[in-house]
Amino acid sequence: MANPGTPWYRMDNASVMYSAIQREEYSAIYRFSAFLHREADPDALQRAVDRAMPRFPGFAVRIRRGFFWYFFEPNPSPGPFVQPDSADPCRPVRFGEDGGWLVRFLYYGRRISLEVFHALADGAGALVFFRAVLAEYFRQLGEDIPADCAVNLDEEPSRGEIEDAYRRYAGKVSRRQLGIKRAYQDLGTPEPFYTFHVTMGFVPIAQLKSRAKELGGTITEYLAAVLMHLLLQKQAQERPRRQLPVTLGIPVNLRQYFPTETLRNFIMTVQVSADPSLGEYSLAELVSLVRCQLRLHGSPQELRAVMTRGVRLQYNPLLKVIPRGIKNLIMLRSYPKNGVRPYTATFTNPGYFALPEPMARHVAHMEVVLGQAAVPRPHVSAIGYGDTMEITVSGVQRENDLEREFFRFLVREGLHVRVESNRL
């Protein structure tokens, strides 16, 4: 949140963590793309970005290194400049390059993409920003897009859009997230830097929803269960001496429980896990398992308690006086234990991206990509738009067995799947 009388922004819990652990081997970048019905116009896109950026001060910042903490300050550099897209998306951010900008706008053919460093915002906040840029882009092309189709760029931003909602909603009870401490690690062979593989599958939402309903779950619960099913099979085929739980990290949007206007980070990751030592699981049982664990560990009471622990750590009087370099070293060393080993994979679904009709007729489909993981294993993400769910498997691992089996499994389930990939 901006501090009265000072031109800088205090970081939230997620911002502090992502800034501390960012390095060449880990890209805390994610991407949203709109695939249009006609070729992208980079000049119109640049005018739209220039027009929209002042309305979103939380994205128009750079990271500065203080003695005790990182912090955000308004970025005085020109830009961000629209760039041609690259074959390997979600490149790691370098704080001292590209004018210090932490967002990127890219174009290729009929695709317009926004990449965001996760310290700035979560997917829900970034999609609000992206929708406003797209609306202005279509206006720059001469289309009649009413102001109420997205955030009105002529209105002043509210303080609520840049609030630290974690701090606002921290409660009295603090506790560590309960769950698996060591999960099966689906590690592959790392590719040379920076070779980033992206495979996308496009599936009719109606078919997905129907199949998920047959098994008693939502689309998110169904896709997470399919991923767990394949990872359980993969571990069994490796014949380890002792099989470990297969655990997914699934981000939960806290705004559904704690009202806020914030466009910054306001998510918590919930563990859902299946322990193969207890026996085999049918797909229906995995859907039920995911459903129950998301409701249990994703309850507002548990989420607030875990949120409170993070806020108390950030504002701990002892930690506040430890130099930033030492804090960074502590977080870097603890991240493998707390952020890698407890998870087999990440699955995120920011939900359905709705556009009003004046904008929707210009967009064919949406795409989402999660950047490079801290270890060579895949991330899985999904986004709905129109009548299509786009599902992405991304990572720097050479092997492609997981994405191949994932989409083959959906086909065996009776779903129509169209696949695209940047793999050669």
Side-chain angles (χ1 to χ4, degrees):
M1 186 171 183
N3 290 267
T6 61
W8 58 278
Y9 298 78
R10 189 188 302 276
M11 288 188 169
D12 57 49
N13 289 141
S15 301
V16 169
M17 186 269 291
Y18 285 120
S19 300
I21 66 175
Q22 173 64 29
R23 59 195 190 280
E24 293 291 290
E25 298 81 15
Y26 172 57
S27 171
I29 298 282
Y30 57 86
R31 164 188 286 222
F32 290 113
S33 300
F35 194 85
L36 310 177
H37 286 297
R38 61 177 172 176
E39 293 286 304
D41 184 329
D43 294 330
L45 180 57
Q46 185 66 66
R47 293 194 299 271
V49 171
D50 294 342
R51 172 91 166 87
M53 285 303 296
R55 175 57 183 79
F56 293 90
F59 291 88
V61 297
R62 62 182 177 181
I63 286 179
R64 304 296 281 177
R65 294 176 173 88
F67 185 75
F68 295 109
W69 292 107
Y70 289 104
F71 61 92
F72 292 129
E73 69 174 12
N75 193 337
S77 301
F81 296 114
V82 171
Q83 310 168 43
D85 209 346
S86 65
D88 296 312
C90 299
R91 288 167 287 120
V93 68
R94 299 181 178 99
F95 300 154
E97 296 184 5
D98 298 325
W101 288 104
L102 305 173
V103 296
R104 303 181 186 125
F105 290 92
L106 308 107
Y107 67 95
Y108 176 78
R110 293 193 286 158
R111 181 180 287 108
I112 288 176
S113 301
L114 165 68
E115 293 186 349
V116 180
F117 181 41
H118 215 321
L120 287 184
D122 57 29
L127 283 173
V128 172
F129 178 42
F130 195 31
R131 184 182 290 108
V133 173
L134 287 174
E136 183 59 26
Y137 169 74
F138 296 134
R139 293 188 193 105
Q140 292 293 330
L141 294 176
E143 302 293 340
D144 182 17
I145 307 296
D148 62 359
C149 283
V151 171
N152 190 335
L153 300 182
D154 293 321
E155 292 180 348
E156 289 294 318
S158 70
R159 287 180 61 85
E161 292 177 13
I162 55 172
E163 81 161 331
D164 181 354
Y166 293 112
R167 189 178 185 189
R168 173 183 171 189
Y169 282 108
K172 297 180 180 180
V173 178
S174 168
R175 81 175 186 194
R176 184 188 299 271
Q177 186 176 36
L178 301 178
I180 303 301
K181 295 183 178 179
R182 186 179 174 216
Y184 164 60
Q185 300 294 296
D186 178 30
L187 301 182
T189 306
E191 292 278 30
F193 181 87
Y194 178 75
T195 305
F196 191 65
H197 297 302
V198 177
T199 301
M200 295 180 176
F202 300 86
V203 186
I205 288 178
Q207 291 185 9
L208 265 178
K209 187 177 293 185
S210 175
R211 181 56 179 146
K213 187 175 180 181
E214 289 176 8
L215 297 174
T218 64
I219 289 177
T220 294
E221 292 159 357
Y222 169 71
L223 291 176
V226 170
L227 180 58
M228 292 179 76
H229 170 72
L230 296 174
L231 289 167
L232 285 164
Q233 282 190 341
K234 191 170 187 290
Q235 180 179 205
Q237 291 166 1
E238 293 171 0
R239 298 184 180 278
R241 185 172 60 180
R242 181 171 70 91
Q243 293 195 43
L244 295 172
V246 166
T247 305
L248 302 184
I250 301 181
V252 172
N253 186 350
L254 297 175
R255 295 168 182 83
Q256 62 185 311
Y257 302 121
F258 309 106
T260 176
E261 295 180 320
T262 191
L263 300 182
R264 298 175 66 185
N265 287 297
F266 198 43
I267 56 173
M268 297 290 294
T269 299
V270 173
Q271 282 188 349
V272 296
S273 185
D275 188 348
S277 69
L278 302 179
E280 295 184 356
Y281 299 85
S282 68
L283 184 60
E285 288 170 333
L286 287 172
V287 170
S288 177
L289 198 66
V290 172
R291 184 178 182 85
C292 292
Q293 291 185 20
L294 277 177
R295 279 154 179 73
L296 175 62
H297 302 304
S299 69
Q301 293 83 4
E302 281 209 25
L303 292 170
R304 188 196 289 269
V306 178
M307 181 199 322
T308 300
R309 184 176 186 274
V311 171
R312 288 187 181 178
L313 281 173
Q314 184 180 358
Y315 290 93
N316 182 290
L318 178 61
L319 285 179
K320 289 175 72 173
V321 299
I322 296 177
R324 175 183 51 80
I326 297 177
K327 282 198 278 264
N328 285 358
L329 185 61
I330 293 172
M331 282 188 270
L332 274 172
R333 289 187 173 179
S334 66
Y335 186 70
K337 177 182 177 182
N338 299 315
V340 176
R341 291 177 198 162
Y343 302 101
T344 307
T346 296
F347 174 71
T348 182
N349 177 9
Y352 188 84
F353 185 68
L355 289 176
E357 193 279 332
M359 295 176 63
R361 54 195 175 94
H362 301 292
V363 179
H365 67 253
M366 291 292 296
E367 301 166 356
V368 60
V369 180
L370 291 184
Q372 177 180 337
V375 293
R377 69 185 182 199
H379 282 317
V380 183
S381 51
I383 188 169
Y385 173 78
D387 59 3
T388 301
M389 178 68 69
E390 187 277 321
I391 307 165
T392 302
V393 183
S394 57
V396 297
Q397 68 288 345
R398 184 173 304 163
E399 295 77 9
N400 67 349
D401 50 334
L402 182 65
E403 54 258 51
R404 183 183 65 244
E405 291 306 314
F406 187 90
F407 293 120
R408 283 181 176 176
F409 185 89
L410 294 183
V411 171
R412 291 196 296 270
E413 284 276 280
L415 307 180
H416 176 74
V417 183
R418 176 173 62 87
V419 177
E420 297 178 0
S421 180
N422 68 351
R423 286 184 181 270
L424 297 178

